[in-house]
Amino acid sequence: VKDAAICENIDIRNPIVSLDFGTTLAGRVANDKVPVADVTATFAGYAGAIADFVTIGAGYTSALDITEIEEKEEKKLFKKILSEVEIGVIKNKESVGRVPIDPRGAEEKGIIIVGVDADEERLMEIGRKIREKDMLPYLRATFDKVYTEIFAEIIKLLLKLELVDDRYSIGITGRAGITDRKPYMMVEAIKDMGIYKNTEEMMIFVEDALARGAAVMARCMHRLCYPKRPLCGVRGGKYPYKMVSR
């Protein structure tokens, strides 16, 4: 996420909320402690898999396979899917969304686990009913609304727990966060919360953040850093970003 921000000439360093909406949910909240930031929260559970379960029930392997698309979501369908999704702090589970977790170990290190879980069979049953009622064209737009709401609820939870504030930037990657109209809708959701003065300077949507992260790690291991525009440190700190050739 930080590597991609360089190309946009914006400073997305710590503190930061990074969210990976791939098949499973991943990411973390890092504060602005120096020289090494603390991870105060981590994310686990289902992300893109929620849409997968519904889509499989409807007879498809991916929502992107649905070519008949209505621009507006179906409100009843949106509420039905969202009602099967649970978002919250995980304390007494060994897994969430098939992802193994260790709440006790996380608590000992001062890390909160935010999880997103759902009932797979119920979601697939919703998919089967969608096909029976010929509501497939509304599915992709409905998923946009569902994931925007999941994202918004996660951010609201972090605000309630006082883990983030207007100093924290937000980086999003993964198919359930960057496809179709989700980026636009997520930006609007943050604007509605009134967190930032300039939301566009505090949010970024990134393709292939995992691959970018691996490349950054390789550069760090070989001491091939960017001294004039580093990824490390805190926003507005020493060596602010400047657009220079690599």
Side-chain angles (χ1 to χ4, degrees):
V1 167
K2 295 175 182 179
D3 183 64
I6 292 178
C7 301
E8 295 298 323
N9 198 24
I10 57 177
D11 192 345
I12 302 287
R13 289 181 288 174
N14 294 338
I16 185 171
V17 179
S18 57
L19 283 159
D20 186 344
F21 283 94
T23 301
T24 55
L25 181 66
R28 64 183 60 183
V29 178
N31 62 20
D32 55 0
K33 182 180 177 180
V34 291
V36 180
D38 291 327
V39 174
T40 58
T42 186
F43 307 105
Y46 287 138
I50 293 171
D52 291 344
F53 294 136
V54 176
T55 305
I56 289 170
Y60 289 81
T61 57
S62 169
L64 297 178
D65 292 337
I66 300 171
T67 55
E68 296 180 29
I69 303 173
E70 290 286 346
E71 293 184 0
K72 293 183 178 181
E73 77 277 3
E74 213 291 324
K75 292 183 179 180
K76 290 183 178 180
L77 178 58
F78 158 69
K79 291 180 179 179
K80 184 65 176 176
I81 295 173
L82 198 62
S83 68
E84 301 297 339
V85 180
E86 297 180 8
I87 304 169
V89 176
I90 308 300
K91 295 182 178 180
N92 301 312
K93 291 184 178 180
E94 294 183 355
S95 66
V96 55
R98 296 191 185 183
V99 179
I101 57 174
D102 181 8
R104 181 177 297 180
E107 185 177 2
E108 290 174 354
K109 295 180 180 179
I111 300 173
I112 291 174
I113 299 176
V114 176
V116 177
D117 211 344
D119 189 299
E120 302 173 22
E121 289 299 326
R122 289 182 180 179
L123 289 174
M124 285 191 281
E125 180 60 28
I126 291 173
R128 285 188 281 270
K129 290 181 179 179
I130 288 171
R131 190 174 185 86
E132 292 172 2
K133 296 180 180 180
D134 196 26
M135 297 170 63
L136 285 171
Y138 296 95
L139 199 51
R140 284 177 64 169
T142 301
F143 284 149
D144 289 347
K145 181 68 173 177
V146 167
Y147 284 110
T148 299
E149 188 65 22
I150 291 173
F151 164 73
E153 287 301 312
I154 290 173
I155 299 300
K156 289 177 182 177
L157 178 59
L158 295 176
L159 289 167
K160 183 178 179 181
L161 295 172
E162 298 183 347
L163 292 176
V164 302
D165 53 36
D166 61 356
R167 297 173 300 125
Y168 283 71
S169 56
I170 302 173
I172 299 169
T173 188
R175 60 191 172 98
I178 65 172
T179 55
D180 293 333
R181 298 185 70 249
K182 298 177 188 70
Y184 168 79
M185 295 172 69
M186 288 179 179
V187 169
E188 291 302 307
I190 293 297
K191 286 182 177 179
D192 290 343
M193 295 182 204
I195 302 174
Y196 307 121
K197 291 182 179 179
N198 191 334
T199 303
E200 283 78 4
E201 290 185 358
M202 299 298 288
M203 294 183 69
I204 187 169
F205 295 83
V206 183
E207 291 186 10
D208 298 323
L210 183 62
R212 284 181 176 271
V216 169
M217 181 180 291
R219 292 185 66 89
C220 289
M221 292 176 68
H222 290 85
R223 300 182 182 180
L224 300 172
C225 303
Y226 300 126
K228 294 184 179 181
R229 50 173 188 177
L231 304 179
C232 59
V234 297
R235 182 183 307 103
K238 192 176 181 181
Y239 306 122
Y241 285 154
K242 292 181 180 179
M243 291 304 290
V244 296
S245 60
R246 287 180 181 264

